[in-house]
Amino acid sequence: MDIPQVTPQRDVKTGDMGQVYLASGKQVALRRWSEDAGGFSEVRSRDYEIVGYVIDGLLEIDLDGETAKLGSGDSWLVPEGAPHRYRVIDPVVAIEATCPPARFNDRDQPA
């Protein structure tokens, strides 16, 4: 039997892109990110699926050559392996879930 996991705010870890790693299980992980307005990020593809939800702000996502604007209350899906990039238009706070879990490791910690 798995024991429920609680991740107090004081115990969260921050990755090299500013993502805050929250609760993580065997099949899914949760993270929060906030970012100020800026240009497009580098194009990336991940070996996991990402679903996200905008809590506050406005961003654009360029997913495999198509661009969409997302604001508070909007959500998105980036399939595993899909090339994508983000541009924050207004400071954004978002939550993402990854499957399989994207996890924090010591090399994520900024120096």
Side-chain angles (χ1 to χ4, degrees):
M1 180 168 130
D2 290 328
I3 297 171
Q5 180 189 50
V6 174
T7 305
Q9 184 174 1
R10 69 179 178 274
D11 294 340
V12 300
K13 298 189 182 203
T14 303
D16 61 349
M17 294 184 298
Q19 70 275 33
V20 176
Y21 290 91
L22 304 171
S24 181
K26 293 178 184 177
Q27 302 297 319
V28 67
L30 193 62
R31 62 188 180 193
R32 177 177 114 19
W33 61 277
S34 57
E35 192 171 327
D36 290 329
F40 270 106
S41 64
E42 295 176 28
V43 174
R44 295 185 167 92
S45 61
R46 302 290 188 202
D47 60 353
Y48 47 82
E49 183 175 70
I50 302 167
V51 293
Y53 177 80
V54 179
I55 295 172
D56 193 31
L58 183 65
L59 65 91
E60 276 185 313
I61 183 170
D62 181 12
L63 179 60
D64 203 20
E66 300 210 15
T67 302
K69 284 188 181 177
L70 301 162
S72 181
D74 293 335
S75 58
W76 71 92
L77 164 70
V78 177
E80 179 180 351
H84 64 283
R85 63 185 183 156
Y86 301 98
R87 179 173 75 97
V88 177
I89 299 168
D90 288 328
V92 71
V93 175
I95 297 291
E96 292 181 328
T98 62
C99 179
R103 299 186 194 278
F104 175 85
N105 60 49
D106 290 332
R107 74 174 185 271
D108 285 334
Q109 193 67 40

